[in-house]
Amino acid sequence: MGLNLAQKIIKAHLVGGSMETGAEAALRIDQTLTQDATGTMAYLEFEAMGIDRVRTERSVAYIDHNTLQSGFENADDHRYIQSVAEKHGIWFSRPGNGICHQVHLERFGVPGKTLIGSDSHTPTAGGLGMLAFGAGGLDVAVAMGGGAYYINMPRVIRVELRGALRPFVTAKDVSLEILRILTVKGGVGRIIEWGGEGVRTLSVPERATITNMGAELGATSSIFPSDEITRAFLKAQGRERDYTPLEADPDAGYERVITIDLSALEPLIACPHMPDNVVPVASLRGTKVDQVCIGSCTNSSLYDMLKAAALLKGRTVAPSVSMSVSPGSRQVLTMLSDCGALSDILSAGARLLECACGPCIGMGFSPNSAGVSLRTFNRNFEGRSGTRDAKVYLVSPETAVASALTGEITDPRTLSLAALDVRLPERFRVDDSAVLPPAPPERAADVTVLRGPNIKAIPEGKPVGDELEAELTLKVGDNITTDHIMPAGARILPYRSNVPKLSQYCFEVCDSSFPERARAAGESVVVGGVNYGQGSSREHAALVPLYLGVRAVIAKSFARIHAANLVNAGIMPLTFANPDDYEKLTQGQKLRIRNVHRGMESGCMTLEADGTEIPLVCSFTPRQIAVLKAGGLLNYTREENA
Ligand code: MIC
Ligand code: SF4
């Protein structure tokens, strides 16, 4: 049997382990990216490893999340990242240059290469045929140092695309359709490989909208083939030399094949508060809209912005709607400005925000109380927008603009507008002056790393002992996101390099008394339901609980990146052997697990809770057991390097 595309790239990068489904595979990583909200931690960790210079083909540090600078904290972090990047061989994309995934697609992604990034939407680069993974900062730090990245060898689902999208139906609707089919858990342990004749009808930015939202499926990665459309995109970016054709073998095997007929799709919308809560836009017709936002790493390409501008041209946003547009990169913004499309957006009454994540992560532009916000983004988790009771819906740029114009949720097809004829340019405006090169090796020693007072030490991991005795300090339900565990937003995000300060907000969305209780307990355990830790790659969702004394999380199931981050922090992710046992546990109980070390090896442990015995399971690889016993990946790597 031939190989699918994912297997081909994995095979070419395998440096250890095995490609058998479920086994641990160690991959050589060609490129890394970081963004500032996770980057400070990643570079502190990289520094702690004592390696002088990155050993990747290309590592890029982006500043795109924390750009509000409402105090000294963000600016200090930017200077830290800029100087640490210059010293250690990392390219630095200045604030204002754009969202990491958009800029990486435009300027750095290479088909057939591997990329890991300290951001869950790193698989956006799969739109170019790159095999890209979201990871915790520590995994990225290790990869920068030349270490392998470990994945549990995923199953591969093929999505076969047929036909072509009809007017006003978009790549975003394809993302929402696959979420409707697979749900936010459906991609866990899987790579989603897109293929079929319909692929040829999708441009690279459209493919990237689709691979971007593979993160919402919980998928390990998502990937498109690299074909003539990829070549044309790279050529238009002035880097045709990076092109390699790539496709699956015709007889490749897949776990499952899902067929989507593009011509049968209609505009879709994800309702509050989960990206898989998908219905046709038409079914919500007439719902009043308060706010509309176009942007984020899902829908901020030049293509998306030109479509939005064409629909807004000569029209006015409804008086009841507050609308923002955040182009994904400086390339997008300058090209919009050069061709006059920016004026069409502004004249229609939209507010122009910076080329950054902005409202997507609650950094400004929060909706009004109980407001309805339509966003072209990828996540609509409760509270993420910064307004606790806001109702956030996820849509395409076309649906967003149609709704902004009418003031209510509107299927763009009902406005009798002429079909859009937006094409990508043959040549993008290439200006990399906002990407600063690192110092050459011979000058690196002269570069001083600048640290502000907000940068605090990384919490030290503790070796996992043979017996755990701890209090169950928090019991939460299903689909707990990292936004629940470690919220972001304008109030909290500036403290991403200050774990003690961040700890005040841990689990704030679920129970604001948790930090106090955990501190009082000393050592504690958190209990969760299915898909615990879904969403972002932020390792703060592990490091902050570590700081608060959490030693294990017991859940019905875990999201991939978060489970890896817990292990990296030296916290055990354990699973109920029988999910119904979740009901037997009560917050406040004293828990005990004996013979932890034997249990990690055998995959079974027994939890004692007030005389009840509850079987738990785990499937740690020998490497993960060593990491847990060392008290986390940082200690483990230090020991290995020594
Ligand atoms: C997100 O979209 O949730 C973020 C903010 O980009 C995170 C990273 C972070 O928390 O800094 C992600 O997706 O990994
Ligand atoms: Fe930024 Fe939002 Fe994309 Fe995360 S999902 S990288 S916050 S734009």
Side-chain angles (χ1 to χ4, degrees):
M1 196 190 283
L3 297 180
N4 57 47
L5 185 47
Q7 287 167 333
K8 284 187 182 182
I9 304 180
I10 292 173
K11 192 170 169 206
H13 289 83
L14 197 71
V15 291
S18 137
M19 284 181 62
E20 235 161 81
T21 304
E24 196 172 57
L27 304 183
R28 177 169 45 80
I29 295 301
D30 301 317
Q31 298 190 347
T32 63
L33 70 79
T34 56
Q35 41 91 337
D36 51 309
T38 52
T40 42
M41 212 40 96
Y43 294 113
L44 288 170
E45 289 157 344
F46 181 76
E47 286 187 294
M49 284 173 198
I51 295 168
D52 285 344
R53 205 168 175 86
V54 293
R55 297 182 184 148
T56 46
E57 290 174 13
R58 166 100 56 194
S59 287
V60 190
Y62 294 90
I63 306 286
D64 54 1
H65 280 61
N66 275 316
T67 55
L68 275 187
Q69 294 172 223
S70 45
F72 64 92
E73 292 88 356
N74 294 161
D76 280 6
D77 283 355
H78 300 172
R79 274 158 48 101
Y80 165 68
I81 294 177
Q82 180 168 350
S83 56
V84 88
E86 187 182 4
K87 192 173 183 72
H88 295 290
I90 299 143
W91 295 74
F92 178 73
S93 172
R94 305 183 69 174
N97 193 45
I99 305 174
C100 53
H101 309 304
Q102 175 63 27
V103 179
H104 210 82
L105 195 76
E106 292 168 356
R107 306 303 310 141
F108 298 114
V110 178
K113 298 275 182 187
T114 51
L115 163 73
I116 70 168
S118 60
D119 192 279
S120 64
H121 290 102
T122 304
T124 308
L128 271 178
M130 196 169 198
L131 191 62
F133 308 95
L138 196 41
D139 281 323
V140 177
V142 169
M144 286 192 286
Y149 178 57
Y150 293 83
I151 53 168
N152 284 338
M153 194 57 199
R155 296 172 198 280
V156 183
I157 296 182
R158 178 174 168 100
V159 187
E160 179 82 15
L161 295 178
R162 301 261 165 82
L165 293 166
R166 290 176 302 158
F168 300 106
V169 186
T170 71
K172 180 60 160 279
D173 301 303
V174 179
S175 293
L176 295 174
E177 172 68 0
I178 193 74
L179 271 154
R180 191 187 63 74
I181 297 171
L182 287 177
T183 81
V184 292
K185 303 186 281 291
V188 177
R190 285 161 175 95
I191 289 179
I192 315 291
E193 193 168 305
W194 296 79
E197 83 208 28
V199 160
R200 288 202 301 271
T201 68
L202 298 172
S203 65
V204 167
E206 289 173 294
R207 295 174 184 187
T209 293
I210 295 171
T211 49
N212 175 277
M213 285 194 77
E216 279 48 67
L217 298 166
T220 304
S221 189
S222 298
I223 188 165
F224 271 82
S226 167
D227 56 13
E228 284 307 314
I229 295 190
T230 322
R231 182 207 288 270
F233 177 81
L234 288 169
K235 188 173 174 201
Q237 291 285 354
R239 41 191 205 100
E240 195 180 359
R241 64 182 181 285
D242 288 339
Y243 173 69
T244 333
L246 278 171
E247 60 180 354
D249 290 332
D251 58 342
Y254 294 93
E255 177 198 12
R256 174 180 173 193
V257 179
I258 297 170
T259 302
I260 295 182
D261 179 0
L262 295 172
S263 56
L265 288 182
E266 60 180 315
L268 297 172
I269 183 166
C271 303
H273 298 287
M274 274 297 146
D276 61 358
N277 203 356
V278 173
V279 298
V281 173
S283 69
L284 296 182
R285 200 180 106 207
T287 308
K288 200 180 149 303
V289 173
D290 300 293
Q291 186 191 66
V292 169
C293 304
I294 299 192
S296 94
C297 55
T298 315
N299 280 122
S300 62
S301 66
L302 181 66
Y303 181 67
D304 285 326
M305 294 293 155
L306 288 174
K307 288 190 300 176
L311 287 173
L312 287 168
K313 187 176 174 130
R315 302 188 173 91
T316 311
V317 169
S320 56
V321 174
S322 167
M323 179 172 182
S324 75
V325 171
S326 3
S329 70
R330 214 165 57 111
Q331 180 184 77
V332 173
L333 178 56
T334 49
M335 290 186 75
L336 280 177
S337 150
D338 289 351
C339 73
L342 185 60
S343 301
D344 299 332
I345 293 173
L346 297 176
S347 307
R351 285 167 61 182
L352 181 67
L353 305 183
E354 203 178 2
C355 303
C357 301
C360 177
I361 188 60
M363 293 304 274
F365 217 73
S366 298
N368 53 293
S369 297
V372 168
S373 179
L374 256 60
R375 301 174 159 215
T376 66
F377 307 169
N378 47 41
R379 292 188 171 142
N380 57 349
F381 303 146
E382 195 171 4
R384 179 173 161 105
S385 65
T387 301
R388 187 75 188 259
D389 56 1
K391 295 184 199 65
V392 176
Y393 295 81
L394 308 174
V395 294
S396 69
E398 281 82 335
T399 300
V401 175
S403 308
L405 294 173
T406 59
E408 46 190 56
I409 293 180
T410 302
D411 180 332
R413 297 172 306 175
T414 60
L415 293 187
S416 327
L417 303 167
L420 295 172
D421 183 22
V422 169
R423 284 177 208 184
L424 286 180
E426 283 188 10
R427 199 107 203 126
F428 287 91
R429 189 189 211 265
V430 174
D431 167 10
D432 291 330
S433 58
V435 185
L436 308 180
E442 63 281 7
R443 265 213 321 101
D446 304 334
V447 178
T448 307
V449 176
L450 307 170
R451 285 166 229 276
N454 186 43
I455 298 182
K456 299 282 190 265
I458 334 166
E460 283 287 324
K462 272 206 213 157
V464 171
D466 199 33
E467 182 162 328
L468 173 69
E469 247 193 280
E471 182 180 327
L472 198 178
T473 45
L474 185 70
K475 186 177 176 190
V476 288
D478 288 346
N479 285 322
I480 288 296
T481 73
T482 51
D483 280 284
H484 291 100
I485 306 169
M486 199 51 256
R491 208 167 32 102
I492 304 175
L493 217 48
Y495 300 107
R496 278 294 181 88
S497 40
N498 183 345
V499 167
K501 175 80 179 182
L502 270 188
S503 69
Q504 298 170 14
Y505 305 101
C506 191
F507 278 110
E508 193 185 46
V509 187
C510 308
D511 178 351
S512 59
S513 58
F514 168 73
E516 205 185 309
R517 218 167 36 246
R519 252 186 232 109
E523 303 227 308
S524 61
V525 170
V526 170
V527 167
V530 294
N531 204 20
Y532 179 88
Q534 70 157 315
S536 93
S537 69
R538 62 187 73 145
E539 61 187 332
H540 303 77
L543 290 177
V544 173
L546 167 71
Y547 176 81
L548 290 171
V550 174
R551 308 294 291 141
V553 178
I554 304 173
K556 292 184 191 173
S557 67
F558 287 89
R560 178 187 73 93
I561 307 177
H562 186 61
N565 284 341
L566 287 172
V567 172
N568 288 351
I571 299 175
M572 283 187 294
L574 302 170
T575 312
F576 291 103
N578 170 8
D580 294 342
D581 285 342
Y582 166 90
E583 305 300 337
K584 295 184 182 155
L585 294 175
T586 321
Q587 198 163 298
Q589 270 176 322
K590 293 276 179 277
L591 306 180
R592 174 190 277 183
I593 306 175
R594 291 181 230 239
N595 302 317
V596 171
H597 290 173
R598 207 170 63 211
M600 291 199 290
E601 306 274 349
S602 69
C604 309
M605 294 184 196
T606 304
L607 175 75
E608 299 164 38
D610 295 332
T612 312
E613 292 201 341
I614 295 177
L616 302 177
V617 287
C618 55
S619 54
F620 301 126
T621 63
R623 186 191 63 92
Q624 289 177 318
I625 295 173
V627 168
L628 287 166
K629 285 185 176 170
L633 184 59
L634 193 55
N635 292 343
Y636 172 82
T637 310
R638 279 198 200 113
E639 286 169 18
E640 290 273 291
N641 288 348

